Amino acid sequence: MAQDGTASGGSPVWEGYLAGCKAGAVSVFQIVLIGTYISIGALAHDLGYSVVWVVLSTLVVWAAPAQVIMITALAAGAAPIEVAVAVSLSGVRLLPMVVALLPILRTPSSRLPGVVLAAHFTAVSMWMEALRLAHRRPPEQRIAFANGIGTMLIASASLASVAGFYFARVLPEPLVGGLLFLTPMSFLVSVVRSSRMISDRIAAVAGLVLSPLLALLGVGLDLMWTGLVGGTAAYLVHRVARARR
Amino acid sequence: MTADLWPYLILVVVGFLPNEVWRWLGVFFSRGLDETSEALLWVRAVATAILTGVVAKIIVFAPGALAGVPLWIRLGSAAVGMAAFALFRQSVFAGVVAGTAALIAADLVIGR
């Protein structure tokens, strides 16, 4: 295999990026993201934030649950440190997501800025699409491919944040409620769809049951315990099932 | 001037950094991990449990306008979405549209 871009039509990085942009533009997650970020823009408007602030939050945080938590908690007058802890807990999932995705994308010659950008773009939407599609690209194109997907998704989400902010006054409350429901609903079906192994399926069910239970019981760091206990139990079941075969 | 910049400083300190640190740690830990390694299977299981954990928390402890919708409608709509997802050959789109439409319809018809 030629390592340098001998293919006609430019470097493998550029080729991968353009292919990623195309995949991102037609992604089914576009609809979900646009609806979700309209609701986040509307929420931020109603709670007194500025439009620039909301768009920046979409660009730098790029995680709908974290943004919802941050926007509602700050507006409710919570102490910044409390908000930071809540946001951080909702983001724990990003660590294993990045760890699962990057080994598929990177090669020994991948440069760090591209890798860090791909990690920044990692959110459920981009993660699902990259895991599904990246293996079809040549390895040296994959980081750029994922960044192309991320670019198109974050661009739409930013525009939707602006739209939601300015349309907040005319959007009926049941519609905004429905749009806020897009985040959990899309997470749920996406996870089930990408769960092919028994460990993933058991982990999905364990997470659904454990996290509200732990939160209701008042256990601190509930999301972290949900992941460690539910995920480890699911992995052990997978090992036992495999040993029996 | 400092007063104008305050909300942006808050955004970086309570929004960007606490969230982004997990992505940076992911970059660090992913070095040298094989995409088929056993450790990665465990890591994926942990990610999946946290992900559905976030889902359950948003549905049960709903934010903003979603909090005005009764809990049983939120749970029922999630079930409708899952059923549509299974019915339409594991279509993410069908599941999301059906679940969200069910929530809005139930909210409008049955009310708050």
Side-chain angles (χ1 to χ4, degrees), chain A residues 7-209:
Chain A
S8 59
S11 72
V13 168
W14 186 238
E15 203 179 308
Y17 185 74
L18 284 182
C21 286
K22 275 183 206 157
V26 300
S27 166
V28 66
F29 283 98
Q30 284 283 358
I31 296 156
V32 177
L33 279 174
I34 289 169
T36 299
Y37 278 91
I38 284 176
S39 71
I40 288 178
L43 186 68
H45 170 273
D46 291 346
L47 296 177
Y49 294 85
S50 77
V51 68
V52 176
W53 191 92
V54 184
V55 173
L56 274 177
S57 86
T58 299
L59 289 171
V60 305
V61 179
W62 186 229
Q67 285 171 262
V68 170
I69 290 167
M70 176 179 65
I71 289 169
T72 50
L74 283 176
I81 182 70
E82 278 176 50
V83 184
V85 169
V87 165
S88 199
L89 283 174
S90 81
V92 174
R93 72 184 191 283
L94 296 169
L95 165 62
M97 283 168 68
V98 170
V99 171
L101 181 61
L102 284 186
I104 296 164
L105 300 182
R106 72 153 40 125
T107 64
S109 60
S110 297
R111 291 205 329 230
L112 190 63
V115 174
V116 171
L117 187 63
H120 178 68
F121 281 148
T122 300
V124 170
S125 51
M126 178 276 211
W127 190 67
M128 290 285 170
E129 293 296 58
L131 280 182
R132 190 167 68 88
L133 301 170
H135 67 91
R136 297 181 196 168
R137 310 297 309 176
E140 68 274 15
Q141 288 190 7
R142 290 181 187 174
I143 287 285
F145 179 72
N147 284 335
I149 296 174
T151 303
M152 296 312 275
L153 295 177
I154 208 170
S156 300
S158 301
L159 291 175
S161 312
V162 176
F165 187 91
Y166 285 114
F167 289 131
R169 232 164 293 183
V170 294
L171 289 175
E173 182 139 317
L175 180 65
V176 177
L179 294 179
L180 278 168
F181 191 68
L182 285 170
T183 303
M185 197 66 242
S186 61
F187 274 37
L188 195 58
V189 288
S190 304
V191 165
V192 174
R193 192 181 173 188
S194 68
S195 299
R196 297 218 170 78
M197 307 190 62
I198 186 168
S199 53
D200 295 330
R201 290 181 177 185
I202 293 173
V205 175
L208 283 178
V209 177

Side-chain angles (χ1 to χ4, degrees), chain B residues 4-48:
Chain B
D4 292 343
L5 290 178
W6 183 244
Y8 298 97
L9 183 69
I10 288 282
L11 173 60
V12 169
V13 175
V14 313
F16 175 66
L17 292 176
N19 192 59
E20 197 74 4
V21 69
W22 300 111
R23 290 176 171 133
W24 291 335
L25 285 173
V27 172
F28 179 75
F29 284 121
S30 69
R31 247 168 231 288
L33 262 185
D34 187 300
E35 59 183 284
T36 56
S37 78
E38 200 66 5
L40 211 54
L41 275 184
W42 174 74
V43 159
R44 271 193 40 191
V46 172
T48 302

Side-chain angles (χ1 to χ4, degrees), chain B:
Chain B
M1 180 176 158
T2 43
D4 292 343
L5 290 178
W6 183 244
Y8 298 97
L9 183 69
I10 288 282
L11 173 60
V12 169
V13 175
V14 313
F16 175 66
L17 292 176
N19 192 59
E20 197 74 4
V21 69
W22 300 111
R23 290 176 171 133
W24 291 335
L25 285 173
V27 172
F28 179 75
F29 284 121
S30 69
R31 247 168 231 288
L33 262 185
D34 187 300
E35 59 183 284
T36 56
S37 78
E38 200 66 5
L40 211 54
L41 275 184
W42 174 74
V43 159
R44 271 193 40 191
V46 172
T48 302
I50 293 178
L51 218 61
T52 54
V54 170
V55 167
K57 277 189 85 173
I58 295 181
I59 292 175
V60 176
F61 312 102
L66 191 54
V69 182
L71 177 64
W72 71 269
I73 292 183
R74 287 180 248 142
L75 292 173
S77 303
V80 167
M82 286 308 293
F85 166 75
L87 222 62
F88 290 90
R89 297 153 148 226
Q90 303 232 317
S91 158
V92 168
F93 186 71
V96 172
V97 169
T100 306
L103 182 108
I104 296 175
D107 190 20
L108 286 175
V109 173
I110 297 157
R112 292 165 183 249

Side-chain angles (χ1 to χ4, degrees), chain A residues 214-242:
Chain A
L214 293 177
L216 283 172
L217 290 173
V219 176
L221 302 174
D222 47 10
L223 280 177
M224 195 190 78
W225 291 119
T226 296
L228 287 178
V229 174
T232 306
Y235 172 73
L236 291 176
V237 169
H238 156 79
R239 290 204 62 151
V240 169
R242 193 180 47 186

